[in-house]
Amino acid sequence: MHTQTGAGGGSGRGAHGIPLDRLPRALVCLTDDQVLEVRVTSRRHFRGVWWYELLLTLPDRRDTPRGPVRDVTEIAFSAPYPDVQPIPGEDYTVLDPPPAAERRRWRLTEAPPGSPHEIVVHRPDCAQAGMSQQLATDRETLRMLADPEEAVTCAVCRPDRVLYLDGDGPFG
């Protein structure tokens, strides 16, 4: 099954914010033995198999009041190795996640009105964070939490249990 990212080129960015034109290319063999060149947006290893998220750009048209005009459609789909083959010279390391110290893995929200804190730190999947897209690294989060007036951890998801592995944080 595939999903269409829409006419006009989609979001323009791949994994880790990499521009689409900088994503590495690969070859994918379709079920009818056609081989196509695609862009690789991400990869992951699952139960001994490498799976690749791929983006196929196809010619398309867009209807306008003056008639159809040329456009492109991007189709996002997944395929495993060996259906996906590398192209020599392509740099697939750009798909690797950033080093742990640089990962933005904590969600930040404004503290509720009347709170003595400015920011509440949440785990990425915490429902209390709502739709917040503001993210922080471990180092940034710990710096904020060092000042109790600046930030506090969410009482529901308790990110302090992960941030302070030795239990010596301000929350015991």
Side-chain angles (χ1 to χ4, degrees):
M1 182 162 184
H2 70 271
T3 57
Q4 183 172 330
T5 60
S11 68
R13 297 232 176 241
H16 313 300
I18 302 167
L20 290 180
D21 61 345
R22 301 216 28 221
L23 288 171
R25 298 170 301 134
L27 299 175
V28 63
C29 183
L30 303 180
T31 56
D32 64 356
D33 293 329
Q34 289 184 73
V35 176
L36 301 175
E37 184 177 290
V38 294
R39 294 281 179 184
V40 182
T41 61
S42 66
R43 62 183 173 181
R44 72 182 180 125
H45 195 254
F46 183 72
R47 296 186 180 174
V49 178
W50 278 98
W51 281 88
Y52 296 86
E53 298 299 319
L54 307 168
L55 192 61
L56 174 63
T57 304
L58 297 171
D60 200 0
R61 75 163 197 269
R62 181 173 34 95
D63 293 324
T64 69
R66 293 185 167 186
V69 294
R70 195 170 192 183
D71 203 355
V72 297
T73 294
E74 293 171 339
I75 307 296
F77 65 104
S78 301
Y81 175 85
D83 294 341
V84 178
Q85 292 290 316
I87 295 176
E90 291 290 315
D91 180 14
Y92 299 98
T93 61
V94 298
L95 302 172
D96 296 337
E102 297 174 18
R103 290 187 197 141
R104 297 185 155 306
R105 62 184 196 138
W106 304 106
R107 291 177 62 196
L108 308 176
T109 60
E110 288 184 29
S115 172
H117 318 286
E118 296 176 23
I119 296 169
V120 179
V121 177
H122 304 269
R123 291 180 188 231
D125 58 349
C126 180
Q128 300 296 314
M131 299 300 290
S132 173
Q133 296 299 311
Q134 189 174 359
L135 301 173
T137 65
D138 288 354
R139 179 173 285 145
E140 293 166 337
T141 301
L142 290 169
R143 183 197 51 75
M144 287 185 280
L145 290 169
D147 180 358
E149 291 182 10
E150 183 175 359
V152 66
T153 58
C154 173
V156 175
C157 68
R158 298 293 308 266
D160 51 297
R161 292 184 179 187
V162 178
L163 278 164
Y164 303 107
L165 293 177
D166 58 5
D168 289 336
F171 307 99

